[in-house]
Amino acid sequence: MAYDHIPLDDEFKALAAFDWGADAAPLAKLDAAVIACHGDAALTADLERRFGEIVTGKASRAAKEYACRKLSMIGTAASVPVLAPRLADPAESHMARFALERIPVPAAGDAIRNALGSVSGDLAIGMISSLANRRDAASVKPLAALLGGDAKLAAAAAVALGRIATPDAAAALAAAKPQAGPVADAVIDARLACADAFLAAGDREAASTIYRSVAATVGDAPKTHRSRAVRVAAQSGLLACLDDTVAP
Amino acid sequence: MPVTSQHGPMSPTTALITALVLTSLIVPQILTAADAISASTRQAADDVVSLLGSGDADLRAVALDAIRHGLKGDWATRMVADQLASLPPSRQAALLLALADRGDAAALPAAAQVAASASSAEVRAAAVQLIGRLGGPADVAVLVTSLSADGPQRDAARRGLVEIAGPDAAAAIRAAAATGSPATRAAVIDALAERRDRAALPVLVQAAADGDAAVRQAAMRALARFGGPNEIPAMVQSLLKASGDEQRAAELAIASVCTAARNAGPSTDVLIDRYQAADEPSRSKLLPALARVGGPKVMVIVDAMLADPARRPQGLEALSKWPDATVKDRLLDLLGKADDPQEKDLLLGTLIRIAPLPDNKLNDREKLDLLVKTMALCERTEDKARILERANAIRTIETFRFVVPYLDDPALAEPACRSVVELAHHQKLRDANKDEFTKALDRVLGITTNEELRERVARYKAGQTWDRKKKN
Amino acid sequence: MRDKLPPTRRRFLAASLQASAAVVAAPYVITSKALGDATTPPASDRIVMGGIGMGNMGSGDQRAFLARPDVQYVAVCDVRKKWRDDAKGRVDEKQGSRDCAAYVDFRELLGRDDIDAVHIATPDHWHSLMTIAACRAGKDIYLQKPETLTLREGPLMIQAARRYGRVVSGGSQRVLEDYREIVDPCWAGELGRITSVDIDPGPSSMACYLPAVATPSDIDWELWLGPAPWEPYNPGRCDGNFGTGGNSWRSYIDYSGGSLTDWGAHNFGGTIFAAGLLDLQPTKAVWHRAAADGQASAYATLVYPNGVEVHCNRPKQLRPADTAATISHERGITIRGDGNAATPRAVPAYRGSGGIYGDFIECVKTRQRPFRDLEVAINTMTAPHMLGLVRRLERSLEWDRAAQRFVNDEEANRLLDRARREPWTL
């Protein structure tokens, strides 16, 4: 459906009253407007403001979810204050994060990182997941701080550090000394991810240091599929570090 | 713990093994002046060789992966290939497969030696596979010879003759198609078919007239895949000399060329020309092939036959082989006017055959309509039963509703049961019309004593599936 | 840097050799049926498998693996009771026991160390997460197509597979089996160098606004949704049928790319295979707006680095006339070459026996890469995913394969992936 520059008042009214199962025809016009606003700063700002009003208003969960999806496409720093307070609400956290994760301004990352300090449990894992997807280097410190705590958070934080894969992240992972179990596994996965990233960037020495260290964790005769796979990862990584006939 | 041992003294065993590995030093022996590699890569290569000798499958897999994707350079290929002789057979085979994937022809001499001398069939097969992947014209002979071997080696040779690259290798394969035992020649021709070697078309045309049936049939199979109008005359000649199964296969081969995605029209034109130019006995033999092609130009010929009382039986015979339902109106018309019982049988049988064909140019509704019309023209129970059984190829609820009333007809209840059960086999159809199917399946239980049908009904009613293969 | 490499590297490998002796003495595959018979290999030679997602495609995959004498099938997993029970029933019936384990949560199945390989046939929104988890657990994976839901998932999955040395096969059996009439002439060089392709992919997935319905007791709805946004239960949202026009998960954007990626995995797969683009990803996706006079609808062109143009849904009147170097497939695919001589190449074949399933099992044994290796599958899926984005954004996009990002289009880059619902993370 093409956007024909109508005022969209009726459509936003319909969205404010929208719920699952209702007539979705008005939403198609909003979809079109979001596509059409590309390169039109004024229209984008207007749409962003109005979707923000849905998010902060008394609309249904379905309507807010819809608005968050749209903000994920056109949201700017202006949407961060709208979305950030939702991160702590179990019913709205994911969709607020859905939008924030995609908004390519530092303030969006700041908001998610800040929320990490104020939420717990699954909501915190959600923040960690989004920080990982943003490869948010500024999050290394708070993520590293989680490695020694709650097991689920620690495992998620380890995975995120592996995705971020900076030298700081690798150092934090190397310093973690989790007991055997899911956290230890996640740390190993993350360390391998860091090593692979270093190797790909041409830092064979840093990579081989990690591969060797990881290989040591699985012992001489790993017997489980998991530990054998880890050994394969470390061994092939070490070979790749030595073999400079192949570009990293 | 190997890695951490760098911080402390090695155990005696580790020290011993380390010493053994250090003395292997294979890389320097392989390197030539042209092979400028770093000390680091040299160590990687040495490590790969060490890992190949490991008793641990995971470590060998790491080495094989490095051979497949790393250590670029033919020095590494030669180095690794030189290890073949020192490995036990199953590891030799694995290494040969990895070298084949690596794609460096420097491995060929070692593989050829293994192919000629290995006692293990698995190893020979892997060597032949490598030769097929990486070899050249000089290696075709090995592959052709391996066609006479058993099992995996023969299969590898067949595949190798398809994979071996280059125009000279292709020429060598074409030459091999003319010599050797008929079985070997047929296998070589099958490889030419798989290669779609258009330069081999003259060879295939010649082979289509060969004195050996296996060779002829292989040639016709090949021509069926990528022959065109130029090859139709030879295929026609082959058909005219064939009988029995070979004749039918030849008909299908010609029809395949004339209905292919490319050159179908010109090929059909040549076929029609050949038919028109043939004498009457030859025409009789060509007509089924022509009919299997179908289409408007062939229809003109068939219509002329139908209009000629003397040739009418041939025309009907041709219609009976038509590939789609475009002749349905003619068939219905002819059936309505037919008096001769044999003629009626033929027409009815054709209608029942073509109505549910998957690619007959009708949609599901039209297919069922045609079957319903045909049913109305049936008098004999066995014809009606055939319709009920063919109907289940049209997987719609309308078909189901057409079949179900026949459960009440004692003479047709059994084929109707089979058809209902077959339709119920399709879970989506069954689930979307659950109540109707449940009632019908209950009725089937009250009618049939066939154990298999009853078991199927029980499974479908319970929401389960039925595995056709387990009964085969 | 080379000179600084640790001198203990060789020692490490040597000690690994030493360690291997213990592994040989204690094979890791220990199953209930240690001995084979005339048709069944001994347990140590069989691949121990489990299945995750046992609906339409999962049950078909399961049957194929169950039928193989070299597979020992031990566990199934589905969030729906009926499919779980049916799947367990098939295994138990086949094996004459009640041993097959049934799980609701895939993590339990992946946690079993006796399982060597899994097949995954869940809705698409689970594919990347489960595949990466399975790689980390050291399993080999047969993954139903479409292998990915978003562009970002692909590289992460490949990294995991390569890192842990896993065999991961995509699951489109049609690519090799259904398109031979175009694949064979192209690979034989009969069309010359391939220059362009026309293909008619189906529609993209859509948003789902189905109303809430009481959640039945036989489905774990939270686990069905997993990383997807929370939405109320509705049978039309999660039905596993093959429809893409509504009333199946294949219709909806949170769980699927729609017909575009569902049948697209086959049709793009066959096309890309035929045209020799298996190792490539498009560099551009060009959006052609609909003609102002209404005579031609909008379409897109994917441009590959070797110059091949794949026109998607190009109106018939804009297509060039067929030549001797044109070939068409009944599924709406037309491939054009330049008609010059081209080097023939052998069409790749499955390894082992038994179609794509046999190919996977053979590769599990030999550690070779399968026919639809994950990387090939991801390259293939890049095409429909990019097409989906240009359709959605209605503008052209340029793709930097090395960076896995669009060039100068930050809004498009936002759509590379989506936030996963807690507690799921890649």
Side-chain angles (χ1 to χ4, degrees):
Chain A
M1 175 173 292
Y3 170 63
D4 51 10
H5 296 85
I6 53 176
L8 297 172
D9 291 346
D10 291 344
E11 286 69 23
F12 272 102
K13 236 180 242 173
L15 176 59
F18 181 76
D19 205 348
W20 285 299
D23 176 20
L27 304 191
K29 291 183 182 172
L30 296 176
D31 291 342
V34 165
I35 300 304
C37 76
H38 178 65
D40 182 337
L43 176 58
T44 304
D46 184 51
L47 288 172
E48 182 179 13
R49 179 185 55 77
R50 295 167 85 175
F51 284 126
E53 287 169 4
I54 297 292
V55 172
T56 54
K58 295 189 186 316
S60 69
R61 181 171 183 170
K64 291 185 178 186
E65 179 186 307
Y66 177 89
C68 285
R69 287 176 193 267
K70 299 303 151 189
L71 288 176
S72 83
M73 295 176 71
I74 60 168
T76 67
S79 290
V80 174
V82 171
L83 295 163
R86 316 278 145 191
L87 291 172
D89 181 337
E92 297 185 35
S93 181
H94 175 231
M95 291 315 292
R97 191 162 53 77
F98 192 100
L100 281 169
E101 182 179 308
R102 283 175 165 177
I103 296 175
V105 298
D110 295 344
I112 300 170
R113 204 180 319 113
N114 291 338
L116 180 57
S118 61
V119 296
S120 59
D122 285 354
L123 292 189
I125 294 175
M127 304 309 145
I128 294 167
S129 169
S130 285
L131 293 169
N133 270 355
R134 289 176 67 94
R135 300 195 65 192
D136 185 55
S139 294
V140 168
K141 205 169 173 184
L143 290 171
L146 296 171
L147 290 176
D150 172 84
K152 285 182 179 174
L153 291 185
V159 171
L161 288 166
R163 292 279 302 281
I164 294 168
T166 58
D168 283 354
L173 289 162
K177 304 290 179 201
Q179 295 200 330
V183 180
D185 287 350
V187 167
I188 287 170
D189 291 329
R191 297 193 70 199
L192 287 168
C194 288
D196 288 355
F198 295 157
L199 178 60
D203 189 348
R204 292 168 192 249
E205 190 166 354
S208 63
T209 300
I210 298 175
Y211 291 133
R212 272 201 312 278
S213 170
V214 168
T217 68
V218 292
D220 290 351
K223 288 192 174 59
T224 64
H225 277 92
R226 157 79 191 170
S227 57
R228 291 168 58 224
V230 168
R231 182 173 60 158
V232 164
Q235 286 280 16
S236 50
L238 280 166
L239 269 183
C241 285
L242 290 170
D243 179 5
D244 52 18
T245 64
V246 180
Chain B
M1 181 63 66
V3 171
T4 51
S5 64
Q6 64 185 294
H7 302 301
M10 278 187 279
S11 73
T13 314
T14 304
L16 174 62
I17 292 171
T18 303
L20 288 173
V21 174
L22 281 168
T23 55
S24 67
L25 292 178
I26 288 147
V27 176
Q29 300 165 24
I30 296 292
L31 290 176
T32 67
D35 298 318
I37 61 167
S38 69
S40 166
T41 294
R42 186 177 295 200
Q43 189 175 352
D46 221 12
D47 290 347
V48 165
V49 171
S50 300
L51 291 174
L52 280 177
S54 166
D56 184 324
D58 290 335
L59 297 179
R60 292 199 304 275
V62 168
L64 293 173
D65 199 56
I67 290 166
R68 287 191 172 96
H69 308 291
L71 291 174
K72 300 298 180 192
D74 59 4
W75 63 270
T77 309
R78 294 194 306 273
M79 175 200 73
V80 172
D82 277 2
Q83 306 307 306
L84 276 168
S86 65
L87 298 174
S90 66
R91 295 187 203 170
Q92 282 184 326
L95 177 53
L96 285 162
L97 294 179
L99 284 167
D101 289 342
R102 178 176 172 84
D104 182 353
L108 272 170
Q113 198 174 359
V114 170
S117 61
S119 57
S120 156
E122 182 191 9
V123 174
R124 288 197 307 273
V128 167
Q129 200 177 120
L130 183 150
I131 290 167
R133 296 271 290 279
L134 309 178
D139 300 302
V140 168
V142 175
L143 299 177
V144 171
T145 304
S146 291
L147 289 172
S148 307
D150 291 331
Q153 187 177 347
R154 182 192 57 214
D155 295 344
R158 286 178 170 167
R159 179 66 193 160
L161 285 169
V162 175
E163 293 193 326
I164 198 163
D168 293 341
I173 298 170
R174 289 194 287 274
T179 58
S181 71
T184 297
R185 292 177 61 207
V188 172
I189 289 170
D190 282 339
L192 290 171
E194 192 71 25
R195 296 173 69 93
R196 293 179 70 91
D197 181 2
R198 300 189 70 75
L201 284 170
V203 174
L204 299 175
V205 161
Q206 199 170 5
D210 196 85
D212 185 89
V215 173
R216 282 197 308 272
Q217 289 182 52
M220 289 294 274
R221 279 197 300 273
L223 290 169
R225 290 186 66 167
F226 62 101
N230 294 338
E231 288 68 53
I232 289 290
M235 297 181 80
V236 163
Q237 286 306 311
S238 189
L239 166 60
L240 292 176
K241 287 180 188 164
S243 60
D245 289 346
E246 186 181 351
Q247 181 180 342
R248 182 177 154 75
E251 290 170 11
L252 293 170
I254 291 172
S256 176
V257 173
C258 294
T259 54
R262 303 174 75 201
N263 289 323
S267 298
T268 304
D269 290 345
V270 175
L271 178 61
I272 290 172
D273 286 349
R274 290 282 144 164
Y275 174 83
Q276 304 284 23
D279 57 22
E280 203 51 48
S282 297
R283 282 187 172 194
S284 298
K285 242 175 154 176
L286 289 176
L287 187 59
L290 208 54
R292 290 183 198 283
V293 175
K297 287 182 179 173
V298 179
M299 198 67 239
V300 172
I301 295 171
V302 174
D303 276 342
M305 287 176 171
L306 293 171
D308 177 356
R311 297 165 66 207
R312 182 181 168 85
Q314 289 170 283
L316 292 171
E317 192 67 32
L319 280 184
S320 75
K321 295 197 162 42
W322 213 257
D324 55 45
T326 53
V327 290
K328 69 181 173 64
D329 293 334
R330 266 186 189 76
L331 291 167
L332 287 167
D333 183 50
L334 289 165
L335 186 59
K337 294 172 186 165
D339 293 324
D340 178 56
Q342 277 188 320
E343 196 172 296
K344 285 174 86 167
D345 277 0
L346 187 68
L347 290 164
L348 210 49
T350 305
L351 278 164
I352 295 169
R353 178 181 70 80
I354 63 168
L357 282 177
D359 300 320
N360 70 358
K361 301 186 178 172
L362 301 180
N363 62 34
D364 282 348
R365 177 180 292 238
E366 291 167 334
K367 287 176 182 178
L368 182 59
D369 283 350
L370 182 54
L371 272 189
V372 171
K373 277 182 190 161
T374 308
M375 182 67 108
L377 296 168
C378 286
E379 291 164 3
R380 297 186 311 190
T381 302
E382 58 262 41
D383 292 330
K384 293 179 181 175
R386 281 182 62 203
I387 287 179
L388 290 175
E389 301 234 34
R390 289 283 287 162
N392 63 48
I394 313 166
R395 296 170 193 166
T396 65
I397 188 61
E398 288 77 19
T399 306
F400 172 82
R401 288 168 186 158
F402 162 67
V403 172
V404 164
Y406 290 95
L407 293 172
D408 295 328
D409 182 338
L412 293 170
E414 198 63 33
C417 283
R418 285 195 289 272
S419 214
V420 164
V421 171
E422 187 55 38
L423 286 164
H425 180 74
H426 303 288
Q427 191 174 3
K428 266 176 70 179
L429 180 63
R430 187 177 78 219
D431 287 351
N433 305 279
K434 199 170 180 181
D435 291 346
E436 281 184 81
F437 267 94
T438 302
K439 278 182 200 161
L441 290 173
D442 283 340
R443 294 183 61 199
V444 168
L445 286 179
I447 294 167
T448 187
T449 56
N450 181 306
E451 279 307 314
E452 182 178 299
L453 280 187
R454 294 179 70 84
E455 183 194 339
R456 291 179 69 179
V457 168
R459 294 189 73 91
Y460 299 149
K461 283 186 67 185
Q464 297 169 337
T465 53
W466 183 75
D467 187 354
R468 292 178 196 278
K469 285 180 188 165
K470 77 174 182 173
K471 295 295 175 188
N472 292 334
Chain C
M1 191 182 76
R2 288 173 194 153
D3 295 336
K4 293 180 183 173
L5 279 170
T8 53
R9 170 78 182 117
R10 185 183 303 284
R11 240 186 302 156
F12 170 72
L13 287 167
S16 297
L17 298 182
Q18 178 193 15
S20 67
V23 176
V24 172
Y28 69 93
V29 180
I30 302 169
T31 63
S32 57
K33 291 184 178 177
L35 300 174
D37 56 29
T39 56
T40 307
S44 59
D45 291 343
R46 294 202 293 272
I47 307 301
V48 181
M49 284 194 75
I52 304 171
M54 308 307 299
N56 283 332
M57 294 310 299
S59 61
D61 293 344
Q62 184 199 33
R63 285 191 183 89
F65 287 119
L66 258 181
R68 297 187 62 88
D70 51 0
V71 166
Q72 171 89 11
Y73 204 103
V74 299
V76 298
C77 173
D78 202 291
V79 297
R80 288 172 184 266
K81 184 174 188 310
K82 176 178 164 16
W83 288 348
R84 197 166 60 240
D85 289 350
D86 284 357
K88 172 177 161 55
R90 283 190 290 273
V91 180
D92 287 346
E93 183 177 332
K94 167 88 179 173
Q95 297 180 170
S97 72
R98 301 181 67 181
D99 293 344
C100 179
Y103 300 101
V104 178
D105 190 328
F106 71 98
R107 291 168 293 191
E108 290 183 63
L109 186 146
L110 291 182
R112 277 183 57 160
D113 194 52
D114 61 331
I115 292 177
D116 304 316
V118 294
H119 63 90
I120 298 172
T122 58
D124 308 350
H125 64 287
W126 271 114
H127 284 180
S128 60
L129 214 144
M130 288 177 174
T131 299
I132 291 171
C135 287
R136 287 172 177 159
K139 315 297 186 195
D140 296 321
I141 302 138
Y142 180 87
L143 173 63
Q144 258 303 333
K145 60 83 208 172
E147 289 80 359
T148 51
L149 182 62
T150 72
L151 279 165
R152 187 184 285 155
E153 291 171 342
L156 293 173
M157 293 159 75
I158 294 169
Q159 280 172 14
R162 296 288 183 257
R163 180 176 300 148
Y164 296 103
R166 303 334 302 163
V167 173
V168 186
S169 171
S172 171
Q173 79 290 353
R174 295 181 187 275
V175 168
L176 185 59
E177 296 165 25
D178 285 13
Y179 299 89
R180 292 306 288 260
E181 62 189 274
I182 55 173
V183 169
D184 289 359
C186 288
W187 281 65
E190 292 171 23
L191 275 61
R193 186 180 66 80
I194 304 302
T195 54
S196 73
V197 175
D198 270 287
I199 180 172
D200 289 327
S204 306
S205 51
M206 51 187 150
C208 181
Y209 304 117
L210 289 171
V213 168
T215 309
S217 59
D218 77 334
I219 184 170
D220 185 327
W221 183 237
E222 281 295 318
L223 209 45
W224 189 93
L225 286 170
W230 186 89
E231 308 266 354
Y233 174 83
N234 183 296
R237 188 187 292 279
C238 59
D239 193 287
N241 73 61
F242 295 105
T244 51
N247 286 336
S248 91
W249 58 259
R250 286 183 175 82
S251 312
Y252 300 121
I253 199 165
D254 284 341
Y255 326 116
S256 169
S259 173
L260 170 63
T261 59
D262 187 49
W263 256 100
H266 297 314
N267 275 343
F268 273 104
T271 303
I272 284 167
F273 182 33
L277 305 171
L278 290 172
D279 298 327
L280 305 177
Q281 295 183 359
T283 53
K284 285 181 197 165
V286 181
W287 180 247
H288 307 273
R289 294 185 185 284
D293 60 6
Q295 293 300 304
S297 52
Y299 72 99
T301 301
L302 302 173
V303 182
Y304 279 80
N306 60 357
V308 175
E309 295 185 339
V310 178
H311 304 287
C312 305
N313 309 102
R314 180 163 63 159
K316 296 278 188 295
Q317 67 269 30
L318 299 182
R319 300 183 187 187
D322 290 355
T323 68
T326 303
I327 192 162
S328 296
H329 188 277
E330 62 187 5
R331 294 207 178 113
I333 300 167
T334 301
I335 301 184
R336 298 180 184 81
D338 63 8
N340 297 323
T343 306
R345 294 179 300 152
V347 177
Y350 291 138
R351 303 182 197 264
S353 60
I356 195 167
Y357 302 103
D359 181 71
F360 171 68
I361 293 296
E362 179 71 9
C363 291
V364 170
K365 294 174 185 172
T366 62
R367 313 313 296 169
Q368 292 171 285
R369 289 190 185 166
F371 172 80
R372 192 172 164 95
D373 175 59
L374 181 63
E375 198 164 338
V376 167
I378 298 303
N379 287 341
T380 301
M381 292 311 302
T382 302
H385 285 317
M386 280 178 66
L387 174 59
L389 291 184
V390 295
R391 278 179 176 176
R392 187 169 171 191
L393 298 174
E394 299 177 3
R395 59 177 182 264
S396 301
L397 297 171
E398 191 176 341
W399 180 241
D400 179 343
R401 180 181 182 172
Q404 290 287 299
R405 290 181 68 81
F406 293 105
V407 179
N408 296 328
D409 196 325
E410 210 43 58
E411 286 177 26
N413 281 327
R414 295 181 185 212
L415 304 179
L416 291 173
D417 200 24
R418 51 190 77 160
R420 281 159 193 81
R421 191 167 65 105
E422 59 276 358
W424 301 103
T425 180
L426 273 186

